[in-house]
């Protein structure tokens, strides 16, 4: 009996995707540790951190482990090292990280050289993929600020 090639491709391609989507105990623990690491760094709740695994270590580190970054903790595509505390063994993990952050956004088009105030901005939650420190997060930060370019309404 001949099996259609298309059928075999669907089975072979679907299998790894299903396995990758499942979180085993260790992978789930690793993701939780990474989410907590970024939540603490950016001062947000764990559920505001979004991770997309790009490259998982071949062998997950044994607990306890520490998270080490050679280039500082930041948003976007990056590789961190997981270092086992007992053996010192290092494992790289690569992923994309973003956070949901409460930021100030324009309520209307704000012209160049205009004062920023509570009348033309509001707080809104946005998904931030890079450079979280480039966003204003508090109304108190507006005091004395003037736009250097036009800001469009969101």
């Amino acid at each position: 009996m001949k099996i259609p090639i298309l059928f075999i491709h669907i089975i072979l391609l679907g299998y790894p995707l299903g396995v990758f989507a499942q979180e085993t105990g260790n992978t789930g623990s690793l993701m939780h540790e990474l989410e907590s690491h970024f939540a603490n760094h950016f001062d947000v709740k764990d559920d505001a951190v979004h991770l997309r695994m790009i490259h998982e270590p071949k062998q997950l580190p044994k607990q306890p482990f520490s998270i080490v970054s050679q280039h500082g903790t930041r948003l976007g595509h990056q590789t961190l090292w997981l270092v086992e505390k007992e053996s010192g063994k290092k494992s790289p993990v690569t992923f994309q990280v973003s956070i949901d952050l409460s930021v100030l956004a324009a309520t209307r088009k704000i012209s160049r050289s205009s004062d920023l105030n509570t009348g033309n901005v509001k707080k809104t939650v946005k998904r931030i993929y890079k450079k979280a420190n480039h966003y204003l997060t508090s109304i108190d930060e507006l005091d004395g600020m003037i736009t250097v370019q036009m800001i469009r309404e969101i």
Side-chain angles (χ1 to χ4, degrees), residues 42-61:
F42 291 106
D43 196 28
V44 295
K45 295 180 180 177
D46 284 3
D47 61 348
V49 176
H50 304 278
L51 297 174
R52 183 174 61 90
M53 189 74 68
I54 296 170
H55 174 73
E56 189 174 338
K58 291 179 183 175
Q59 185 176 0
L60 294 172

Side-chain angles (χ1 to χ4, degrees), residues 127-144:
R127 173 89 36 101
I128 309 296
Y129 296 92
K130 291 186 176 183
K131 302 181 181 180
N133 59 343
H134 287 202
Y135 293 86
L136 297 175
T137 57
S138 171
I139 297 288
D140 300 336
E141 295 178 82
L142 293 178
D143 192 28

Side-chain angles (χ1 to χ4, degrees), residues 84-138:
E84 289 182 10
K85 292 188 178 181
E86 284 182 20
S87 67
K89 180 182 173 190
K90 296 180 182 180
S91 303
V93 58
T94 305
F95 55 92
Q96 184 80 22
V97 62
S98 61
I99 58 173
D100 291 334
L101 190 62
S102 181
V103 298
L104 299 179
T107 57
R108 59 181 171 80
K109 179 181 165 186
I110 303 173
S111 306
R112 181 175 182 250
S113 301
S114 297
D115 290 330
L116 289 175
N117 56 48
T118 56
N120 55 16
V121 297
K122 66 176 179 180
K123 277 200 131 181
T124 185
V125 176
K126 299 292 282 179
R127 173 89 36 101
I128 309 296
Y129 296 92
K130 291 186 176 183
K131 302 181 181 180
N133 59 343
H134 287 202
Y135 293 86
L136 297 175
T137 57
S138 171

